[in-house]
Structures are given as structure tokens and as C-alpha cells.
Amino acid sequence: MKVSHSPATLFAAFDDPDLIAHAGLIPTIRLAERCGLPRLVAEKVKLTGAANGAGTAADAKALSIVGGMIAGADSIDDLDVLRHGGLSRLLGGVRAPSTLGTFLRAFTWGHVRQLESAARAFTCNLATHSGLVPTGEVVGVVDLDSKVTLVSGPARQGASFGYTKQRGLHFQIVTVKTGTCAPVIVATRLRKGSAGSGKGAASLLREALKTVRAMGITAQIIVRADSAYFSHKVVEVCRKAGARFSLAVAVRKKIREAIAAIPEDAWTPIKYAAAVWDAEEERWISDAEITDVPCTAFTSKKMAFHTTARHIVRRVKRLNPKSVPEGQAELFGVWRHHVIFTDSPFVLAQAEPMHREHAQVEQVFADLEDSALAHLPSGKFTANAAWLTLAATAYNLTRAAGHLASVFHGKARTGTIRRHLINIPARIATGARRLTLHLPRHWRWEDDFTDLWTATGQRMLT
């Protein structure tokens, strides 16, 4: 490939008022309006008493932020992406980045909770309207996890050093998915950087499970999480909500003693469909052995919290002598063990790989960090908490747009959806008292964009 004209005959000018760079914003914002996002924000978020008019038109400002995030903005200044070419003819009420920054900084923690309530109600409407999460599935999984987002400089409120040994802010998310759909975020919460992974997890999970049921999902829910969330509070929330749990357990003294008592003939060999990377052993593994044993957890707590279920134990042969913990018995020098505490209704061969699929939540983190959560933009903690809530809303809205477009885009990364369906250039033409968007000929994903466009109540020119 080469440029077909010489530099002397090829020029550029930013002078066309009728061009836009993100035609896919139109059906996506239309979808947000149909599912009531502006109305919910206006009803629930009351920034009364905010200085400089920061609390006025909260609905328009919130939707401006979400729209910018859908187009790829990852900072307050980037939100200016919505003010170019002819986009003002198609989207009304877009606010300037400075106005949006003032709006975010006006949030208190109570206002963040109001915004979270609006986001949860919107997610329910979005799922109902778009079919984003199938409601007729037999099993649904809820994944609970957290991530530290790095920040630069000590001036950020709440930023501190946690388990990553780097300065950051620590956020939790809860997602829901079934076997036929991609994960949808149903709850988020921002904490200070030094907060433990499991801090506040039970209350967040309680809100998330209520949202899942409000979405119309009647499936048996299984809550998956890593060992940071192995607590009687998390299990209690699951049981009160009628959900099952599958929680990783740290291999400490009592667990090692239980593993040592397992007879050798109790182990069942398994092979992975695809090799799994073992970070501690620094190698790919494709086979292991599993077993399960009944157990009662949280016996140090009061009787009401004692929970009888089973431990699923997976062991993998050690090949790296350096990975053997000092002072471990011979059994643990030969094998590495991974333990799950679960009341899953599934048999051993189904329950163990189902828990390993919890790792899919890392893809949600990757999607968020590839867009609005590339960093948290403000020095004020509550502004960043509001940004996190709106980032999750933009993620779900982008995913719903992909779901309406095609089966492929229903499970694609949100970055792929942006490239294929959102960031499409178009020229606005006026005639016969109507506006027409002229899109690129031979666009590879024309049919998918057409499906998204018509699914939101608009017509294509024929």
C-alpha cells in the first residue's frame, strides 16, 4: 500500500461543519434515552446547594460523560470529543469538559450513592429492553472482584499503597453473566488504595444480587470469588438471597491438614480443554487431579455462621523446586493445591471448571482500563467514585449496543464494538426536512450497524 498522491497535491483542512467522527453514538444514546437513563438521573441525583450551578441539569451532564466514555474518552478533557463537526446538530445538551469537571467535583458520598441507584435501575431497564442478559437460563454466575487503579502523585484523595505496593485507588465490581452472554456490571464501589480486597464486599454483593433479580433473572445464581472474599459475611449474603457460592480458599495450616488426610485413591485425573498458565510455577499446565471432601467452615464464629458445604481440591505437580514453600511437608513439595469452598449443585467435574471461569472477570477489567478507567481523572475521591459509576454505565451501554448489532458483537470486547460500530465517520446532509447520515461505502460492519440503528427505532435510507 502507498499514498496515491504526492505531498504537493494533497492537502488537509479542518473546515467541514457537517462531518462527525462517531455516528454510532446516535443509536447508542437513543438506547440510553429509551431505557430511561436521563430520567433516572434527574429523579435520583439531587446536587442541591452545589456552587456555580454545578447541580443543575444533572441528567444532561451525566449523559454527556457517558457519551464521551462510549466514544473512548478516558479523562475529563477527552470529553470534548462530543463537540466537533456537526455532532451538535444531532446531540443536544452536550456540556463542555470544564462544566463536567465542576459537576463531578460537586459530588458527596451521598450523591455517589444516588448515582449508583440510578445506574442500577438503568441496568435493569437496559437488560429488559435489549435482552442483554437472557432471563430463561438455568444457571447464572455472579463474579465479585477488585482491582487497584494506579494514580500519579500523592494529592489524590484516598490514594495510598495497598497489596500492589503502588499508590492507587481500589475499586470493586460485581458482574453477572450466563453461558450465552458476556458479563454485565451490576455494582461498583470505589475505596481507598489501602483497603483490603474484601472490605465492604458483603454489602456490595447484597445490592448486586437484588439488581440481578430485578433484571428478571430467575436462574440459579452461583457467586464466584477469590480467597480475599472467603468470609462468613459473603456466604450469609449468598444464602439469604437464595444464591449458591464458589469461593477460593487460601491454603493454610488447617486446609493443609485436611488435604494430607485425603486418600490417594480419591483423586480423579482431569485434562483441560486448553492449557492454563500457572504463574507460581511459571509454566503452562494441561492436566491435574481433583477431589472433594465435606467440611464445615467458620467454626470460630458463632453457631449461626457455621456453614457446611464441601471443599473441592485441585492439585498440580510441581516442576519448579523454587516454588516449594519453606518448611512444607513432602506432599506439598510434590503437589501444588488449589481449594474451593462451595455448595454448588453440580458434580465435581462440572463445579471445578465452572469456578476457574471466574478468571473471565479480568476481561471486564481490561475493557474498563482500555477506555474510561485508563486512569481516574480527579483529585477528589467522590468525583472519581462518580466517574467509576458512569464508566460502568458506559460499559453496559456499549455492550448492549453490541448485543443489538450481532451475535459476534454481543460477546466482543468493548474496544472492538467502538471501532466497528461507534467510531464510524459520517457526513450530515439536509433535505426534505430531514437529516441523513452518509456513512462510508463498503464499511465492513455495515449490516451490524444497520441492525443497531433500526433496533433503536430509526430507519435507513433506501
Side-chain angles (χ1 to χ4, degrees), residues 372-392:
L373 285 190
H375 60 274
L376 291 165
S378 179
K380 189 172 181 180
F381 182 84
T382 48
N384 287 326
W387 182 272
L388 170 64
T389 303
L390 294 170

Side-chain angles (χ1 to χ4, degrees), residues 148 158-163 166-170 191-196 381:
V148 174
S160 53
F161 295 89
Y163 70 92
Q166 295 175 296
R167 182 184 285 110
L169 290 165
H170 199 170
R191 293 97 44 76
K192 63 181 182 179
S194 60
F381 182 84

Side-chain angles (χ1 to χ4, degrees), residues 119-134:
R120 288 195 298 270
F122 171 69
T123 301
C124 293
N125 293 346
L126 190 64
T128 300
H129 185 84
S130 68
L132 184 57
V133 183

Side-chain angles (χ1 to χ4, degrees), residues 68-383:
M69 290 173 168
I70 291 169
D74 64 4
S75 69
I76 293 174
D77 284 345
D78 274 359
L79 297 174
D80 210 29
V81 72
L82 297 182
R83 302 198 306 164
H84 69 267
L87 205 53
S88 60
R89 297 171 63 188
L90 302 170
L91 298 175
V94 175
R95 298 315 199 254
S98 58
T99 301
L100 299 176
T102 302
F103 169 67
L104 289 170
R105 289 188 293 273
F107 274 72
T108 64
W109 185 247
H111 297 132
V112 173
R113 296 290 287 157
Q114 292 172 356
L115 184 62
E116 289 174 349
S117 176
R120 288 195 298 270
F122 171 69
T123 301
C124 293
N125 293 346
L126 190 64
T128 300
H129 185 84
S130 68
L132 184 57
V133 183
T135 57
E137 298 280 343
V138 177
V139 177
V141 290
V142 168
D143 287 299
L144 171 62
D145 212 335
S146 66
K147 180 91 175 188
V148 174
T149 293
L150 303 185
V151 301
S152 57
R156 302 288 178 96
Q157 286 183 346
S160 53
F161 295 89
Y163 70 92
T164 63
K165 311 301 182 185
Q166 295 175 296
R167 182 184 285 110
L169 290 165
H170 199 170
F171 68 92
Q172 291 172 330
I173 69 168
V174 185
T175 66
V176 63
K177 74 178 296 296
T178 68
T180 58
C181 75
V184 174
I185 300 174
V186 289
T188 62
R189 184 165 298 166
L190 186 67
R191 293 97 44 76
K192 63 181 182 179
S194 60
S197 295
K199 182 178 177 59
S203 61
L204 184 67
L205 179 61
R206 186 181 298 110
E207 291 178 1
L209 291 175
K210 287 180 180 178
T211 303
V212 168
R213 292 309 186 194
M215 292 165 71
I217 298 172
T218 57
Q220 173 64 70
I221 297 298
I222 298 178
V223 175
R224 304 184 297 199
D226 61 30
S227 59
Y229 302 94
F230 176 67
S231 76
H232 67 283
K233 292 181 180 179
V234 169
V235 170
E236 182 188 27
V237 168
C238 292
R239 294 209 149 170
K240 284 186 176 180
R244 303 297 184 101
F245 54 83
S246 183
L247 309 174
V249 182
V251 182
R252 298 193 174 97
K253 182 179 178 181
K254 286 187 177 180
I255 298 296
R256 287 197 296 270
E257 290 173 353
I259 292 172
I262 298 174
E264 194 61 28
D265 60 2
W267 296 94
T268 302
I270 60 170
K271 269 202 169 292
Y272 301 112
V276 177
W277 175 253
D278 189 312
E280 189 171 336
E281 284 280 309
E282 297 182 342
R283 67 185 178 98
W284 292 94
I285 57 175
S286 59
D287 55 6
E289 294 180 349
I290 56 175
T291 190
D292 59 354
V293 291
C295 64
T296 300
F298 316 121
T299 52
S300 64
K301 307 296 180 182
K302 63 182 183 180
M303 184 65 71
F305 294 128
H306 293 190
T307 306
T308 299
R310 57 177 170 156
H311 277 149
I312 294 178
V313 186
R314 172 168 56 97
R315 69 180 188 179
V316 180
K317 279 192 175 180
R318 292 186 188 274
L319 296 182
N320 182 4
K322 295 180 181 179
S323 69
V324 181
E326 186 177 352
Q328 295 269 336
E330 181 180 351
L331 171 65
F332 297 92
V334 176
W335 298 94
R336 289 191 65 241
H337 297 85
H338 307 266
V339 182
I340 305 163
F341 182 59
T342 182
D343 64 349
S344 166
F346 298 100
V347 299
L348 175 62
Q350 295 172 316
E352 192 275 333
M354 177 177 283
H355 179 85
R356 278 191 282 110
E357 290 176 357
H358 169 67
Q360 293 173 348
V361 75
E362 294 296 332
Q363 186 59 65
V364 179
F365 289 136
D367 278 3
L368 290 171
E369 292 176 338
D370 187 39
S371 54
L373 285 190
H375 60 274
L376 291 165
S378 179
K380 189 172 181 180
F381 182 84
T382 48

